[in-house]
C-alpha cells in the first residue's frame, strides 16, 4: 500500500494514474490468485465488449439480446465456479444419482467482480453512464483493489465520472485514512477476537448438550464477528478509495440498531440490497404489479440474495428466512409500527438477526436447527455451563467495546459537542478534541498492526463469495 | 473550516508508520526475497501459477520475519490482551496458541498425537541388540497441578500413556521423570520456565542424575561411577535474572506473561571435547575442539541483549540432525546414542560430561529411515530415547 500511494501521487496524469491503479489491482489479486487473475481479466474484457455494444444498441431490440448474452456470460462464470458442485450435489440428492461432483476452487471475490461487471453493462444500457472505449478503464472499475475482495459492490453509475474526472483532495485523503484505520480496527481488534469465541462454540458441535447461555454467546459472537469483519473491510475499502479520490458509498449504517427487519436491510450490506433492488426487483416490476407479483419478486430477490452468499442450502434458507419476515412486515404494516417501539423493536430485530446468522454460520441445515434448538433449550440444555462463563469473561471487554461500536454514540457525541461550539480543530476545545481523536485513531492503528505482527488469528470469511 | 494543524498529525503519523514498515520489511531485506525467488525457481518443478503460489507463501513468511519493530508490536499486543484479561491467545497457527494456566504460566496446547514412529517401531531397534531406555521428561502441564481455562484441554497425559503402552508391550524400560519428580518432591514452580515450553536447565541436570541411577539399576551400567560429574557441587552456576522470554512468551510479549530467569550450568572441572555437527541437508560442519565452553556452548545466546534471544539454545547452539560429542577427558565411559528433541539440549550437554561419546540424533531433522543403519554404523553401548 505505501508504495502504491507513493507512486500514484508521483505520477503526472490521470490516465497514467488509472493504469497504475489497474496494474496494482491486478497484482494484488494475482498475489492471492495467480491463476484466477486471468478469469478476472476475461470478465473485464467480456463486460467491456458488452458495454461497447450496449452503448451502441441502447433502446434497440438487439440490445435486449445483448443483455441476455451478457447475463449468460457473467452468470455462467458464477455458475461454473461457484455453483457447479452445489448444483450437481443437489441433483444427486434429489434424484438419487451419483453424478461426479465437480470440485472447482472458488476464485476469491468472484461474486463481487461479476456483479460489478453486470452493473457496468446495465448502467450503460440504461443510459445512466457512458460506455468506456478503453478496456483498461473498465478494468479499473471492476478490479480496483480496495473493494475487489469483500466489497462494497460499487455501482458503475456512482463512480463513472470519477474514473476520469476525480480530484484527489487533502481532506479526502485524511478522511480516507480515518476510515481505513477504523475499518482495520473493526476487523483486526474486534472481528478476529469474536471469531475465536464463535469458532470455538460453533465448531465443537454437540449442540444438543451445550448450554442455552453458551449458544447465545456463540450466536452473539458471530453476530459481532460478521458485522465488524464485513463492516471493517467495507470501511477500509471506502477509506482507501477516498485516498485515491474515489467516493464509494457506505455499505453499513449501524445495522444492529434497526427497529424492523426492513430497516435492518436498509442498513446492512447496502450495496448488495441496492444492487438487487435496482437490477432484479425493479426490473421484475417491484411492487407496481400487484401484491402477488410483488411477493414473487421479493421471493426471487431473497432466494438470489441467499444464493449469492454461498452455494449451500443454509444460505438459501437464510434468504428465505428474511423473505418471510420482510413480507410479514410489509403485509401487516409492522414495518411502520415497530419503529415507534424503540427498545422492544431493537431487541426483537436483534434476536431475529442473530438467529439468521446461526443459519448463515452453521455448516448445514441440520446443524443450524440443532443450534437454534439449543438457543431455546429444546434439548433440555442447561441454562449455563463452563463454556458460557469462560467465553463471557474472556470476551467481556470486547463485548463492551462492541456494544458501543454498534451504536452511533460517537457521531451523536460529535453533534452534541458541535452544538455547544466544540468542533475538532477549531478553538482550544476543538483542538484538544481533534488531537484526542487522532491519538485514539493512531492507537487503534498500532494495536491492529501489533495484532497482525504477532501472527494473531485472522480468519478470512469471504471464501464463499 | 478545519484547522490545518489537526490535518497534519494523523496523516503524517500514518504515512510515516506504513512507509517505515514497508521500507523496513521489504526494502532493507530485498536479498531475502530474491533468495526466496531463486529457491522456488530451483526447487519447484511445477506449473508457473503453482510456483507463484509457493513464492507468495515464502514472501509472506519472510515479510513476517523481517517486519521492523515486530518485537515492540508483539509487546503492545500482549499488553492489550493482558488488560483485556485474556487467558487464551489464539495464533494464526492454532498449535502455537498460548494459554495462561491457573498459575499464570504460559502453555501451548498439546493435542492428541499418534505415538512417534520410533516408539511404534521400537521392536526393530531392539533387534539391533543395543540396550534401550525410554525417558519421559516431566511435562509442563502437570496433572493435578496445572489447570487450563474451561473448554481448553491438554492431551499430554493421554499421549504419554499411549507411548507407555507400546513400550511396555515391547518390554522397553521406561524412566518416568514425572513420577521421579513427584517422588523427589521437586518444586513444581521451579521445574519449568514460565514463558517457555522447556524444562529449566537445573531440571535437566536433575534428570541426568536420575538417568544415571536408572541405568545402574536397569542395566547395571555405571556412568560416572564416582558420582563426580553428576554432583552439582562440581558445576558452576551463572544466573541471568529476568533475561529470558521463552517460546511461548515470544508469541505474546513480556507484558502478558513476564520474563524468566535463566541459569547457565557449566563444569567446574577440566574438560576436553571434540564436537562435530551434521547440519540440515547432511552437510557436516567443522569439528570444534576445546573445553566445554568452547565446543558445547554458544555464548552468543546469552550475550545478546534482547530477551527475545533463544537463551535455551546456549547448549549446542540449536537443534541439529546429528551432533557427535567426543569427551576426550573420559575415554573409559560408554558410547551413548540419544534420540532427542529440544528437551535434550541441556540434558545432552550434562550427559556428555559423563560418557565417552555422545551421539545426539534429532528425528525432527533426521530421516528415521536411515536410523537403523546409523545405529549399526556407530555401534553405541546404549540408546536413550527422550523424544516425545
Amino acid at each position: 500500500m505505501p508504495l502504491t500511494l507513493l507512486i500514484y501521487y508521483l505520477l503526472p496524469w490521470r490516465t497514467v494514474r488509472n493504469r497504475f491503479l489497474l496494474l496494482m489491482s491486478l497484482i494484488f489479486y494475482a498475489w492471492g490468485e495467480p491463476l484466477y487473475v486471468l478469469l478476472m481479466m476475461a470478465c473485464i474484457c467480456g463486460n467491456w465488449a458488452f458495454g461497447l455494444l450496449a452503448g451502441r444498441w441502447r433502446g434497440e431490440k438487439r440490445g435486449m439480446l445483448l443483455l441476455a448474452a451478457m447475463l449468460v456470460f457473467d452468470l455462467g462464470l458464477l455458475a461454473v465456479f461457484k455453483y457447479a458442485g452445489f448444483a450437481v450435489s443437489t441433483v444427486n440428492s434429489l434424484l438419487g444419482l451419483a453424478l461426479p461432483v465437480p470440485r472447482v476452487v472458488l476464485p476469491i471475490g468472484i461474486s463481487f467482480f461479476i456483479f460489478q461487471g453486470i452493473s457496468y453493462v446495465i448502467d450503460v444500457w440504461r443510459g445512466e453512464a457512458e460506455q468506456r472505449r478503453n478496456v483498461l478503464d473498465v478494468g479499473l472499475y471492476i478490479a480496483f483493489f480496495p473493494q475487489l475482495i469483500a466489497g462494497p459492490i460499487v455501482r458503475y453509475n456512482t463512480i463513472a465520472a470519477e474514473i476520469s474526472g476525480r480530484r484527489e483532495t487533502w481532506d479526502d485523503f485524511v478522511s480516507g485514512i480515518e476510515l481505513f484505520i477504523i475499518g482495520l480496527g473493526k476487523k483486526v481488534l474486534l472481528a478476529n477476537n469474536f471469531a475465536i469465541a464463535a469458532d470455538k462454540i460453533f465448531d465443537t458441535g454437540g449442540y444438543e448438550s451445550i448450554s442455552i447461555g453458551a449458544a447465545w454467546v456463540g450466536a452473539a459472537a458471530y453476530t459481532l464477528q460478521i458485522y465488524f469483519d464485513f463492516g471493517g473491510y467495507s470501511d477500509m475499502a471506502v477509506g482507501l478509495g477516498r485516498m485515491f479520490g474515489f467516493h464509494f458509498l457506505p455499505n453499513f449504517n449501524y445495522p444492529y440498531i434497526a427497529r424492523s427487519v426492513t430497516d435492518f436491510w436498509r442498513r446492512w450490506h447496502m450495496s448488495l440490497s441496492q444492487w438487487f433492488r435496482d437490477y432484479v426487483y425493479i426490473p421484475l416490476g417491484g411492487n407496481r404489479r400487484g401484491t402477488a407479483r410483488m411477493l414473487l419478486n421479493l421471493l426471487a430477490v431473497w432466494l438470489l440474495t441467499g444464493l449469492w452468499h454461498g452455494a449451500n442450502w443454509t444460505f438459501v434458507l437464510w434468504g428465505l428466512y428474511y423473505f418471510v419476515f420482510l413480507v410479514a412486515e410489509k403485509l401487516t404494516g409492522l414495518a411502520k409500527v415497530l419503529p415507534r417501539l424503540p427498545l422492544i423493536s431493537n431487541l426483537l430485530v436483534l434476536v431475529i438477526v442473530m438467529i439468521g446468522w446461526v443459519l448463515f454460520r452453521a455448516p448445514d441445515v441440520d446443524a443450524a436447527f440443532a443450534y437454534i434448538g439449543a438457543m431455546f433449550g429444546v434439548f433440555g440444555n442447561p441454562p449455563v455451563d463452563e463454556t458460557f462463563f469462560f467465553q463471557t469473561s474472556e470476551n467481556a471487554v470486547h463485548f463492551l467495546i462492541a456494544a458501543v461500536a454498534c451504536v452511533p454514540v460517537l457521531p451523536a457525541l460529535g453533534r452534541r459537542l458541535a452544538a455547544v461550539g466544540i468542533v475538532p480543530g477549531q478553538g482550544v476545545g476543538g483542538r484538544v478534541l481533534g488531537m484526542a481523536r487522532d491519538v485514539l485513531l493512531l492507537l487503534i492503528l498500532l494495536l491492529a498492526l501489533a495484532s497482525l505482527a504477532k501472527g494473531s488469528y485472522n480468519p478470512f470469511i469471504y471464501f464463499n463469495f | 473550516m478545519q484547522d490545518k494543524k489537526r490535518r497534519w498529525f494523523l496523516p503524517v503519523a500514518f504515512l510515516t508508520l506504513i512507509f517505515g514498515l514497508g521500507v523496513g520489511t521489504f526494502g532493507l531485506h530485498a536479498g531475502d526475497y530474491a533468495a526466496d525467488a531463486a529457491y522456488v525457481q530451483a526447487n519447484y518443478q511445477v506449473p508457473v501459477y503453482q510456483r507463484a503460489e509457493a513464492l507468495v507463501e515464502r514472501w509472506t513468511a519472510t515479510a513476517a520475519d523481517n517486519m521492523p519493530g515486530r518485537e515492540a508490536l508483539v509487546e503492545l499486543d500482549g499488553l492489550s490482551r493482558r488488560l483485556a484479561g485474556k487467558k487464551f491467545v489464539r495464533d494464526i497457527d492454532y498449535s502455537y496458541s498460548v494459554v495462561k494456566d491457573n498459575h499464570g504460566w504460559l502453555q501451548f496446547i498439546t493435542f492428541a498425537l499418534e505415538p512417534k514412529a520410533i516408539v511404534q517401531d521400537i521392536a526393530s531397534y531392539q533387534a539391533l541388540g543395543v540396550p534401550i531406555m525410554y525417558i519421559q521428561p516431566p511435562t509442563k502441564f502437570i496433572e493435578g497441578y496445572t489447570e487450563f481455562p474451561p473448554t481448553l484441554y491438554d492431551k499430554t497425559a493421554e499421549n504419554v500413556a499411549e507411548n507407555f503402552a507400546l513400550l511396555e508391550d515391547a518390554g522397553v524400560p521406561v524412566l518416568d521423570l514425572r513420577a521421579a519428580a513427584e517422588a523427589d518432591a521437586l518444586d513444581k514452580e521451579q521445574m519449568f520456565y514460565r514463558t517457555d515450553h522447556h524444562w529449566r536447565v537445573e531440571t535437566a541436570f536433575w534428570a541426568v542424575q536420575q538417568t544415571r541411577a536408572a541405568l545402574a539399576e536397569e542395566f547395571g551400567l555405571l556412568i560416572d561411577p564416582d558420582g563426580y560429574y553428576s554432583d552439582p557441587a562440581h558445576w558452576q552456576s551463572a544466573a541471568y535474572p529476568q533475561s529470558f522470554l521463552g517460546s511461548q512468551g515470544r508469541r505474546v510479549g513480556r507484558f502478558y506473561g513476564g520474563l524468566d530467569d535463566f541459569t547457565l550450568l557449566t563444569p567446574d572441572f577440566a574438560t576436553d571435547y571434540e564436537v562435530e555437527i551434521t547440519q540440515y541437508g547432511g552437510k557436516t560442519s567443522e569439528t570444534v575442539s576445546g573445553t566445554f565452553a568452547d565446543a558445547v556452548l554458544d555464548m552468543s545466546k546469552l550475550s545478546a541483549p534482547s530477551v527475545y534471544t533463544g537463551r535455551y539454545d546456549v547448549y549446542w547452539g540449536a537443534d541439529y540432525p546429528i551432533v557427535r560429542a567426543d569427551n576426550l577427558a573420559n575415554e573409559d565411559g560408554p558410547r551413548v546414542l540419544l534420540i532427542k528433541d529440544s528437551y535434550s539440549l541441556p540434558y545432552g550437554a550434562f550427559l556428555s560430561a559423563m560418557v565417552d561419546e555422545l551421539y545426539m540424533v534429532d528425528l525432527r531433522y533426521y530421516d528415521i529411515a536411515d536410523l537403523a543403519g546409523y545405529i549399526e554404523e556407530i555401534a553405541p553401548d546404549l540408546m536413550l530415547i527422550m523424544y516425545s
Side-chain angles (χ1 to χ4, degrees):
Chain A
M1 185 174 91
L3 197 63
T4 305
L5 279 171
L6 176 67
I7 296 175
Y8 178 82
Y9 280 101
L10 288 175
L11 291 171
W13 302 295
R14 170 67 52 227
T15 307
V16 175
R17 287 184 173 184
N18 283 352
R19 303 299 172 250
F20 172 72
L21 279 184
L22 172 61
L23 175 65
M24 297 312 289
S25 298
L26 292 174
I27 291 173
F28 169 75
Y29 193 73
W31 187 268
E33 298 278 20
L35 189 60
Y36 283 140
V37 67
L38 299 172
L39 172 70
M40 188 174 67
M41 288 161 76
C43 173
I44 290 169
C45 294
N47 285 293
W48 165 75
F50 285 123
L52 279 182
L53 293 173
R56 207 174 293 165
W57 297 346
R58 193 176 289 140
E60 299 176 30
K61 267 195 186 160
R62 53 184 172 168
M64 296 301 294
L65 285 174
L66 177 76
L67 282 186
M70 175 275 291
L71 286 173
V72 167
F73 172 74
D74 282 315
L75 297 179
L77 286 175
L78 261 186
V80 166
F81 287 96
K82 189 167 177 178
Y83 300 110
F86 174 61
V88 172
S89 302
T90 304
V91 165
N92 284 346
S93 302
L94 290 176
L95 303 179
L97 299 175
L99 299 169
V101 178
R103 303 254 176 256
V104 184
V105 175
L106 182 68
I108 295 172
I110 186 171
S111 303
F112 291 102
F113 66 74
I114 292 281
F115 268 35
Q116 293 205 178
I118 294 173
S119 168
Y120 169 69
V121 178
I122 293 179
D123 285 355
V124 168
W125 161 255
R126 287 177 175 174
E128 291 172 4
E130 285 306 309
Q131 72 270 37
R132 291 268 156 186
R133 302 220 170 272
N134 194 319
V135 65
L136 299 178
D137 288 333
V138 177
L140 177 60
Y141 161 65
I142 289 177
F144 191 35
F145 71 89
Q147 32 82 172
L148 176 61
I149 302 298
I153 300 171
V154 178
R155 301 268 303 282
Y156 180 65
N157 62 23
T158 63
I159 59 117
E162 290 190 333
I163 289 178
S164 306
R166 68 187 178 279
R167 204 169 68 88
E168 299 88 344
T169 68
W170 184 247
D171 283 353
D172 279 342
F173 191 81
V174 175
S175 76
I177 290 174
E178 290 175 358
L179 263 176
F180 179 82
I181 292 173
I182 290 169
L184 185 67
K186 281 181 182 176
K187 161 61 183 165
V188 174
L189 301 177
L190 293 177
N192 287 356
N193 176 78
F194 291 120
I196 298 169
D199 287 355
K200 182 72 183 170
I201 295 173
F202 274 91
D203 293 347
T204 306
Y207 302 142
E208 290 82 359
S209 55
I210 65 170
S211 71
I212 298 170
W216 279 98
V217 166
Y222 187 68
T223 298
L224 293 169
Q225 176 195 351
I226 195 164
Y227 171 48
F228 289 117
D229 201 301
F230 213 171
Y233 270 122
S234 292
D235 286 346
M236 283 194 275
V238 174
L240 270 174
R242 220 173 272 185
M243 286 191 230
F244 294 104
F246 288 97
H247 296 85
F248 303 145
L249 297 175
N251 212 12
F252 295 86
N253 180 21
Y254 297 98
Y256 293 151
I257 64 169
R259 293 182 185 178
S260 66
V261 177
T262 307
D263 187 27
F264 175 76
W265 279 100
R266 289 196 191 115
R267 294 169 176 273
W268 179 273
H269 201 177
M270 296 186 287
S271 65
L272 181 72
S273 29
Q274 285 160 11
W275 195 98
F276 275 111
R277 180 197 64 200
D278 292 343
Y279 297 120
V280 178
Y281 184 66
I282 290 175
L284 287 176
N287 59 2
R288 290 171 285 126
R289 296 194 189 172
T291 303
R293 182 57 184 262
M294 177 192 74
L295 293 177
L296 272 174
N297 294 341
L298 279 173
L299 180 62
V301 165
W302 285 99
L303 273 175
L304 292 173
T305 301
L307 263 178
W308 181 89
H309 283 85
N312 193 315
W313 285 111
T314 51
F315 297 113
V316 176
L317 196 60
W318 175 79
L320 287 175
Y321 175 80
Y322 277 111
F323 166 73
V324 167
F325 283 108
L326 287 163
V327 162
E329 283 185 357
K330 263 195 195 324
L331 295 181
T332 61
L334 275 174
K336 293 184 179 146
V337 168
L338 284 171
R340 291 184 224 141
L341 308 165
L343 275 178
I344 297 171
S345 60
N346 283 133
L347 269 170
L348 183 63
V349 172
L350 209 48
V351 168
I352 291 170
V353 166
M354 284 172 69
I355 292 172
W357 287 134
V358 172
L359 289 171
F360 197 86
R361 172 65 172 79
D364 54 62
V365 173
D366 289 339
F369 283 126
Y371 194 99
I372 293 167
M375 288 168 78
F376 294 97
V378 158
F379 308 105
N381 311 73
V384 291
D385 60 6
E386 61 179 15
T387 301
F388 166 77
F389 287 118
F390 175 59
Q391 294 297 347
T392 308
S393 63
E394 183 77 351
N395 297 290
V397 170
H398 286 80
F399 275 129
L400 203 60
I401 296 171
V404 173
C406 282
V407 295
V409 164
L410 294 179
L413 183 63
R415 284 192 296 273
R416 294 241 166 144
L417 289 171
V420 296
I422 301 175
V423 176
Q426 295 180 17
V428 173
R431 279 201 285 276
V432 169
L433 181 65
M435 183 54 72
R437 184 174 69 181
D438 286 352
V439 167
L440 179 63
L441 285 167
L442 210 53
L443 181 62
I444 291 172
L445 176 64
L446 283 171
L447 286 170
L449 288 173
S451 182
L452 292 169
K454 175 252 170 289
S456 294
Y457 184 48
N458 188 19
F460 184 75
I461 62 174
Y462 306 104
F463 55 87
N464 276 317
F465 306 156
Chain B
M1 186 150 103
Q2 295 274 359
D3 184 343
K4 284 201 186 310
K5 269 190 190 170
R6 183 198 81 80
R7 290 186 166 277
W8 284 104
F9 174 69
L10 182 67
V12 167
F14 174 79
L15 291 171
T16 303
L17 202 54
I18 64 166
F19 273 98
L21 284 174
V23 168
T25 303
F26 299 103
L28 298 181
H29 299 276
D32 292 348
Y33 300 99
D36 284 338
Y39 180 86
V40 168
Q41 184 66 22
N43 293 284
Y44 283 73
Q45 308 307 320
V46 292
V48 167
Y49 76 92
Q50 285 182 350
R51 254 184 283 161
E53 282 174 356
L55 184 57
V56 164
E57 203 176 313
R58 288 186 76 92
W59 275 353
T60 305
T62 301
D65 288 339
N66 288 333
M67 183 187 274
R70 187 173 178 275
E71 290 172 9
L73 291 172
V74 170
E75 299 288 0
L76 178 62
D77 181 74
L79 177 61
S80 71
R81 290 183 196 270
R82 183 172 170 184
L83 291 174
K86 292 289 188 186
K87 289 192 168 46
F88 176 63
V89 181
R90 174 86 151 86
D91 196 272
I92 200 164
D93 180 343
Y94 192 83
S95 62
Y96 288 120
S97 300
V98 172
V99 180
K100 198 178 261 189
D101 70 18
N102 56 326
H103 300 283
W105 297 359
L106 304 183
Q107 301 262 7
F108 288 138
I109 301 175
T110 301
F111 305 100
L113 296 169
E114 290 287 314
K116 291 280 193 286
I118 192 169
V119 170
Q120 294 193 51
D121 199 27
I122 196 74
S124 66
Y125 300 101
Q126 287 174 301
L128 297 174
V130 177
I132 299 175
M133 176 174 278
Y134 184 90
I135 302 172
Q136 173 58 50
T139 57
K140 192 173 180 183
F141 187 97
I142 303 173
E143 292 290 318
Y145 182 75
T146 306
E147 281 173 20
F148 272 2
T151 74
L152 297 171
Y153 307 104
D154 186 274
K155 296 293 183 186
T156 305
E158 286 90 335
N159 292 341
V160 170
E162 269 203 62
N163 280 336
F164 279 16
L166 290 174
L167 292 163
E168 190 180 24
D169 286 345
V172 174
V174 170
L175 171 57
D176 187 354
L177 290 173
R178 300 174 305 167
E182 200 64 43
D184 277 6
L186 289 192
D187 183 358
K188 293 181 176 64
E189 269 289 312
Q190 297 301 320
M191 282 168 60
F192 288 86
Y193 297 107
R194 292 176 65 91
T195 71
D196 194 87
H197 65 287
H198 294 111
W199 53 7
R200 288 182 184 271
V201 163
E202 303 94 309
T203 313
F205 188 88
W206 165 86
V208 171
Q209 294 174 312
Q210 298 297 308
T211 304
R212 176 177 168 266
L215 288 173
E217 185 182 324
E218 187 65 41
F219 300 122
L221 177 63
L222 298 175
I223 63 169
D224 184 26
D226 302 325
Y228 180 84
Y229 300 109
S230 53
D231 185 347
H234 299 136
W235 290 76
Q236 288 179 327
S237 171
Y240 295 80
Q242 296 292 285
S243 67
F244 180 35
L245 191 61
S247 54
Q248 291 139 347
R250 288 194 288 273
R251 308 201 84 81
V252 290
R254 79 192 74 186
F255 298 119
Y256 184 83
L259 288 173
D260 278 301
D261 300 332
F262 189 85
T263 301
L264 178 72
L265 290 179
T266 51
D268 195 15
F269 47 84
T271 54
D272 188 10
Y273 276 83
E274 205 175 79
V275 172
E276 187 182 84
I277 290 174
T278 302
Q279 305 268 7
Y280 316 107
K283 184 183 157 192
T284 306
S285 63
E286 286 182 16
T287 302
V288 177
S289 300
T291 63
F292 183 93
D294 297 328
V296 177
L297 297 181
D298 179 355
M299 289 302 291
S300 69
K301 305 295 184 192
L302 293 182
S303 59
S306 171
V307 298
Y308 282 78
T309 309
R311 308 282 188 218
Y312 188 79
D313 294 343
V314 65
Y315 294 102
W316 310 106
D319 293 296
Y320 295 103
I322 303 176
V323 173
R324 184 188 70 85
D326 191 351
N327 182 359
L328 301 172
N330 187 7
E331 308 233 304
D332 296 328
R335 178 183 297 158
V336 177
L337 169 63
L338 173 62
I339 306 297
K340 67 172 279 293
D341 54 29
S342 55
Y343 264 57
S344 293
L345 286 177
Y347 176 90
F350 305 139
L351 185 65
S352 72
M354 303 172 201
V355 302
D356 172 23
E357 267 186 301
L358 177 67
Y359 291 81
M360 298 197 296
V361 172
D362 196 322
L363 289 180
R364 295 170 300 172
Y365 310 115
Y366 182 84
D367 190 348
I368 195 173
D370 299 331
L371 182 61
Y374 186 69
I375 292 172
E376 285 176 336
E377 180 190 325
I378 64 173
D381 300 311
L382 169 69
M383 180 166 148
L384 299 175
I385 303 174
M386 190 160 67
Y387 179 64
S388 54

